[in-house]
Amino acid sequence: MATKIVTQRCQEEQMEQMSHSMQMSSQIKKRKFKSSDETASLSEFYPIIPGDIMSVKEILTEPKFPRNRIWEALRETLSSDELHERDQWTLFGNEAEKLEIGVIRNQRVVRERVDRLALRREAERKASLHMKLIEDLSMKAPDFPVPLRPHTVWTGMDVKLSCSVQGCPLPSVTWYKDDVPLRGSLPWNYKLMQKCGLDVLEIRRCSAEDAGEYKVIAKSSLGEATSSARLTVNSHEGAEAKLKHSWTPIPVPEPDAQLASTFPPTFVKEGDNLVLQCSFTTALLPFQQDVTWYRDGLVLHQCSRVELQTGLRSVNLTLKRVHKEHEGLYSVRLRTWDGTVEHSAYVYVKDGPAVVVGAPGSPLQVKCSDVNRDYVFLSWIPPSADGAAAVQGYFIERGDAFEITRAFFSGKHLKNSSSVPYVDGPAVVVGAPGSPLQVKCSDVNRDYVFLSWIPPSADGAAAVQGQIRVPFPPTDMRVCELSDTYAVLSWTEPEPRGREPLTYFVERSLTGKESWHLASMDMTVLSTRFAAFDQRKGKSYTYRVRSVNKYGISEPSLPSEPISVGQPLGVPAPPHGVLSIRDTNSSVLLQWKEPKITEGIVGYYLYCSEVGSGQWKTINNKPITKTRFTVDGLKTNKEYVFRVKSVGLAGNSIYSEESPAVRVKSAIYVPSRPSAITLLRCTGAEMLIGWRAPANHGGDPVRGYFLDQREKSQSSWREISIKPTKERVYEVTGLQEGRFYQFRVFAANIVGLGDASEPSELFLCERWTMPEPGCPYDLEFREVRQNSLVLLWAGPLYKGQSEVSGYVVEISEGAESEDWTLVTSEPVTETHLKVSGLQAGQTYRLRVSAVNAAGVGMSSVASEPMEAQTKAGTKEIEIGVDNDGFIFLSFEAPDSTDKDVFKWSKNYSKSTDAGRARLENKNNRSVLTFTDASEQDLGLYTVELSGNPDISSSFTFTAEDLERLTELSWHVRNPLIALKSEGWQVDVSEQGSVRLWLQTEALSSAAVLRLILNDREISSTPTRKINFDKAQGLVEILFDQISREDEGSYTAQLKDGRAKNQFTLVFVDKKFRDTLAKSEANRHNWKRKSGPHFEEFLSWTVTSDCEMIMKCKVTNVSKDTRVKWFKDGVELPQAVYEPPGVSSFTVPQVTRKELGVYRAVVSDSRGEDESVLQLIDDEFERLVQELGKQCARSAGPVCIQCTAQGFKLYCSLKYYLSYMKTSWYFKDKRIDLEERSKPGSSMQKVWIEIFGPTENDKGKYTLEMFDGQETHKRSLDLSGQAFADALLEHQRLKQVEFAEKNRARVTKGLPDVVAIMEDKSLCLTCFAEGDPAPEMFWLKNDREVTSTGQYNIKNENKSSTLTINHVTMEDSGNYSIFVRNKHGSQTVLVTVSVYKHGEKPRADAVQM
């Protein structure tokens, strides 16, 4: 009992101490952190609280207590034992003491944990304050710590103007001289640089032009700052000169450059290079040299594929290996004094050739929408061209460390954890000294990586990182991308994160439930992003994440917002309301309405088709995001229909409905301004005003003009023509004499009223009384060509004192030149003139003055500048005769419209007489047909389009044309049936039938034929058939078997409407006999071919091996067919017959024995045929000649063979015939038969021997072989080293021959084997010769035998005898005689066999 009381008191004291320490720990701020050497305790992961303070169940039910799977399991265990009494948990004895010790230890741990959390919060607060302070301090407006200072230098010296700029963000610096920016290409002696923190302008070899005020402007988002200084350049000429050059006058702005020629809409094929070019009117000024290029509004910069070149008068953009992503609207922007000018044109990129016919185009705009260490998301846009079938899927290729992997994918997105290589390594970023930087990747795509860095706090943030062991939980769990199949989660890594590498566990739970499980499964998440793919549609999920390092797992982060995948994107609907509107002569403006649901649509593909062609063409290969587009590159006056397809993330839509057909031509708009307002006459109260028509009527003829007037003192205009006037002359009434008036004119068409003309000059209202005529007016151009043009004008309305007698026409080269030259030396009486002798491409102006008796009057207003150039597609008037025999003039205008009218006139004045000619217009062609052309119709005829007078032409109808066409007209009206074939033709068929035929031009079905033979009309009979094919114009007479009765004159009379003709064949005498003979021969040959017969008759050939082959070929054979050969009636069994029908007989070597008559016979049960070849006389001579030619061609080079007697020159042939004539030449001189030379030949060689060669035999040897037609030569140059070597070899062989002749040799040899009976005597004798006399030795078994004992050797007069007395068995063996002298030696062997009495000797031995 006492023990229990003491225990309770101790517990109460400990509880009071713990409560007090916990209160104190919340107030004390400790300044130290746990060192890295201390070991981690369990309290760092989960708090340990004494059991007497809180029960286990109370701890587990605490809402703010951190959760863990172990605690969850413990809580479930306790809940299952709720019925147990609390006293079951009471501890007694030693267990109570252990509990007391644990409580004290846990008190200390809890206090340390609370202090550590408080210190961390304080460190985070101070770090954030420090970061804000650094950020506030770093923002600073631009400033010049070191400004520019003035300089005074002498001419020829160098000077450096320098200043320093500071500010945050870093400002941009621009230098100016006299308020002109120094950009682009600077003068040669100017150089801008940055050195040691200073911005420096270096000017080398200063001159007076370099003097002036220099200024530097620094700009940033916080403002700008300026620093300026003056540069004075003094001259060495003295004070006066120094004062003179010390100031710089205010520069007068030079005229800026403008765009002159620009690039049109361009079409380029994928993979080719693209060049866009613009030129300028003048050289670019310095401030204009920064020309900017744009694509779809984005600036283009120089790179490996984009090359920008800016010259003084032109600018180029070059795109290398164009892709479809490069398609778009390209713009070039040029700065001017008034702002900027810009030109834009669309560049179309067509698909390159497909590898497989019918394959789809390539996808485009491949993008990485999410890149990290675990995966990458790819998206792309489908191609515009599906090919022969719909697109089924896509191949994706991945490159890892120069290795390409291909995979097939059927969607639009790809998840692959290794599709983008990741380089795991430190990023070195240079910062200010003493401030290390923490680098973070904030944005990544295919081309670049944006890096941002945050300077850490200077007071202990690095120390905090080192204290972290078990990581803190991540924060800011959110969804950064959500689609119908996946969700991409992102979070912020814990702060502070510690120094150890972090990975992450991602957990998922259904919304509203606490059943968390791993979503990352076995995947190691290395980055702060995670893609979840396995979400069920219709379900909502929440996610949380834990940090993991080598020390343990953090607490979970706060759950994300509920996430549910969206509905899958379907294929978008097609657009509707496609409308095409006329734009220009080669383009159409296309508009459409987008679908009601636009989600997932990234653009539109356009397609066009020429009406009637049935072929659709792709317009753009890059989706268009807007709902209107100008389609370029269309054919003028052709009708097109269009359709549009929506491009979506899930694929392309079906095609929209076709647009209404539209004809490609320029849209109608208001006319341009009239010009050249002229005073034509003045009476003092009225003025007659004229003006020039607008240069462009806007696609619709001008319907009328409106005039305004005002007096000199008035500023407002007053309308004087209420109703429009159709003429370009208007009489203004109600004027006051002596006052000045000014006029302007408006032109109107069906669209509306155009802009007003420039005000005229002030006209004085005063009566004209001058004697000279007034000015002509209404100058117009017609038939403008490269070297000529036609000028039309109207005569003056004021005649003067007499009538106008002519006109003076003047011309001036150039658009503004006032140097006028007379066109003709004499005045022109007509009101039109053709001006010739112009220079192609040159610009001209003309003016006209009227002439009367008083002189030359006022000149007209000069015409508009006109370039002497023939427009593309210009047509001229053509003259001809139509099918009815009438003479006509025709003119074609491809660019005409339905509203244009062809105006024909004669001599540019009066219209054509309707009684003498009729006019017919159809489509774009106008025809003027003369009803009865005569001399009254001769003259100059002109034609022009009413809506476009620039399209005009003229033709002079002369008497020569009338005579030529009148004759042609008669032939048309009285036509002859033309003949296609060369008269009558005679054909003989293989069967022997004869065909007489002729062919004319095609005839109508009403054509009539009459055939006459010898003045008698004939018709078809059983033996003679007549055919008449009217459509082909073919007349033929067929004879199955021609006879003498068919000889005669055949005439064919044809008539087809007005056309007629007749053709005669004289089929008699030799022509008839030859045809009859050929017919009979062909009939006989046809019968022969009914059985086996010769397709190729007997013939011979000579091969390259000089063999003669005789062969023939038979056809129509059967298995019973036999072929036999005969020569002079004797069968040749050597002939060979091969089943394909070829039979041959080969003669390897031709001699005169081959003369004779050869016959080949082929036969079977159906019949037989034979072929004969007479190989005699001339035919045999031809064979020998051909054989000689082949033999000569087979000759090899001339070779040399050295002999003891001399040289032997020879040439090898495959076959030599004596028929060939051979001759040897030495140094181009023929070698005749001499003592020292001897020619010879064999079947395969031709040679010549030269005996006893000397130095005189050195030279070139030539062999000529004549085959009867050609001479074949072979030569050998036997001189120099070749001759020396041959001569040396000859001498050696000569010595060898001499030695061989005189050497020791056995002349009468011994037998090979000798048999002798025992006890008999053996005598062996051998004769030898040689010079000198040879020595002779006898040997037995290779040992010399001497004359001792039973052996006796006797040598006398070139002989030697060996005698063996009383031979015994031991005398058997191999004996030999050896003879020798100084030239050589020889050994002869003999085998001695001794046999006993009663035995038989060897069978192969000579018995002695």
Side-chain angles (χ1 to χ4, degrees), residues 1-43:
M1 185 66 180
T3 303
K4 184 176 182 180
I5 293 173
V6 171
T7 303
Q8 290 176 354
R9 288 181 179 178
C10 292
Q11 292 176 354
E12 290 176 358
E13 291 177 358
Q14 291 174 359
M15 187 171 63
E16 291 177 359
Q17 292 176 1
M18 180 177 178
S19 176
H20 178 70
S21 63
M22 290 180 66
Q23 293 175 1
M24 292 297 294
S25 64
S26 63
Q27 300 174 2
I28 299 175
K29 306 297 182 182
K30 296 184 180 180
R31 295 293 181 178
K32 66 178 183 178
F33 294 89
K34 189 170 87 173
S35 67
S36 60
D37 296 334
E38 294 179 26
T39 57
S41 64
L42 293 175
S43 62

Side-chain angles (χ1 to χ4, degrees), residues 1131-1147:
E1131 185 176 357
L1132 297 175
Q1134 299 89 345
V1136 178
Y1137 173 71
E1138 298 177 358
V1142 177
S1143 181
S1144 61
F1145 174 68
T1146 303
V1147 180

Side-chain angles (χ1 to χ4, degrees), residues 1029-1042:
D1029 188 347
K1030 301 178 182 179
Q1032 299 292 331
L1034 183 64
V1035 178
E1036 58 182 1
I1037 306 175
L1038 303 177
F1039 299 92
D1040 290 338
Q1041 185 172 356
I1042 196 169

Side-chain angles (χ1 to χ4, degrees), residues 876-925:
E876 301 293 348
I877 294 178
E878 298 177 354
I879 191 169
V881 177
D882 61 13
N883 295 332
D884 295 327
F886 293 99
I887 300 174
F888 68 89
L889 298 174
S890 68
F891 179 71
E892 184 178 0
D895 297 335
S896 64
T897 63
D898 298 338
K899 298 181 181 179
D900 292 332
V901 178
F902 291 90
K903 292 184 178 180
W904 288 85
S905 62
K906 190 174 182 181
N907 298 325
Y908 290 102
S909 55
K910 58 182 180 180
S911 59
T912 57
D913 188 357
R916 300 199 58 81
R918 63 178 184 272
L919 182 63
E920 181 181 3
N921 298 328
K922 188 174 182 181
N923 296 331
N924 299 329
R925 189 168 182 264

Side-chain angles (χ1 to χ4, degrees), residues 515-678:
S515 58
W516 296 94
H517 62 276
L518 277 177
S520 55
M521 301 301 289
D522 297 334
M523 183 186 302
T524 302
V525 182
L526 301 175
S527 62
T528 58
R529 299 167 77 90
F530 177 74
F533 284 91
D534 51 351
Q535 292 194 157
R536 296 181 182 178
K537 290 181 173 57
K539 299 290 184 179
S540 178
Y541 297 87
T542 55
Y543 290 84
R544 68 185 186 186
V545 64
R546 296 175 183 265
S547 303
V548 182
N549 65 8
K550 71 178 184 177
Y551 293 108
I553 305 174
S554 74
E555 297 296 330
S557 67
L558 294 177
S560 67
E561 295 294 331
I563 301 169
S564 59
V565 295
Q567 294 297 326
L569 288 175
V571 176
H576 60 280
V578 182
L579 180 64
S580 53
I581 304 172
R582 287 167 49 186
D583 184 33
T584 67
N585 285 332
S586 61
S587 64
V588 166
L589 177 61
L590 195 63
Q591 296 180 345
W592 60 91
K593 296 180 181 179
E594 61 185 13
K596 294 182 179 179
I597 301 176
T598 60
E599 183 181 2
I601 294 180
V602 297
Y604 302 93
Y605 284 138
L606 313 180
Y607 306 86
C608 69
S609 174
E610 188 175 339
V611 173
S613 66
Q615 297 180 353
W616 288 91
K617 298 181 180 179
T618 302
I619 297 175
N620 62 309
N621 275 311
K622 183 178 179 181
I624 298 169
T625 57
K626 299 180 180 179
T627 57
R628 57 183 295 156
F629 184 75
T630 300
V631 182
D632 300 292
L634 304 178
K635 298 179 181 178
T636 305
N637 276 333
K638 298 294 184 180
E639 289 189 345
Y640 288 86
V641 291
F642 301 86
R643 62 187 184 186
V644 186
K645 181 189 291 187
S646 299
V647 183
L649 296 175
N652 296 341
S653 71
I654 61 174
Y655 294 104
S656 67
E657 295 182 356
E658 296 181 6
S659 68
V662 61
R663 183 178 293 273
V664 180
K665 56 185 177 180
S666 179
I668 301 176
Y669 45 88
V670 296
S672 59
R673 298 178 179 183
S675 59
I677 301 176
T678 310

Side-chain angles (χ1 to χ4, degrees), residues 47-72:
I48 300 176
I49 302 175
D52 56 346
I53 297 178
M54 299 178 68
S55 66
V56 175
K57 187 173 183 180
E58 290 172 335
I59 294 174
L60 294 177
T61 56
E62 179 65 25
K64 296 183 179 180
F65 196 85
R67 300 302 179 209
N68 186 273
R69 288 189 178 88
I70 299 176
W71 291 101
E72 296 290 334

Side-chain angles (χ1 to χ4, degrees), residues 1011-1081:
L1011 274 175
I1012 298 174
L1013 172 62
N1014 299 332
D1015 300 330
R1016 185 182 77 253
E1017 184 174 357
I1018 60 175
S1019 59
S1020 294
T1021 63
T1023 59
R1024 180 185 60 210
K1025 185 177 180 182
I1026 300 175
N1027 293 331
F1028 182 30
D1029 188 347
K1030 301 178 182 179
Q1032 299 292 331
L1034 183 64
V1035 178
E1036 58 182 1
I1037 306 175
L1038 303 177
F1039 299 92
D1040 290 338
Q1041 185 172 356
I1042 196 169
S1043 62
R1044 289 288 181 180
E1045 299 177 355
D1046 299 318
E1047 184 178 7
S1049 177
Y1050 291 83
T1051 301
Q1053 297 180 350
L1054 294 170
K1055 185 177 181 182
D1056 187 8
R1058 293 183 300 176
K1060 57 184 178 181
N1061 210 338
Q1062 71 177 17
F1063 310 96
T1064 301
L1065 170 65
V1066 181
F1067 195 39
V1068 296
D1069 299 336
K1070 185 177 184 302
K1071 188 173 185 177
F1072 178 80
R1073 291 195 299 270
D1074 293 345
T1075 304
L1076 181 61
K1078 186 176 180 180
S1079 173
E1080 292 176 352

Side-chain angles (χ1 to χ4, degrees), residues 134 429-438 453-456:
I134 292 176
V429 182
V430 180
S435 59
L437 304 177
Q438 178 184 354
W453 53 86
I454 303 173

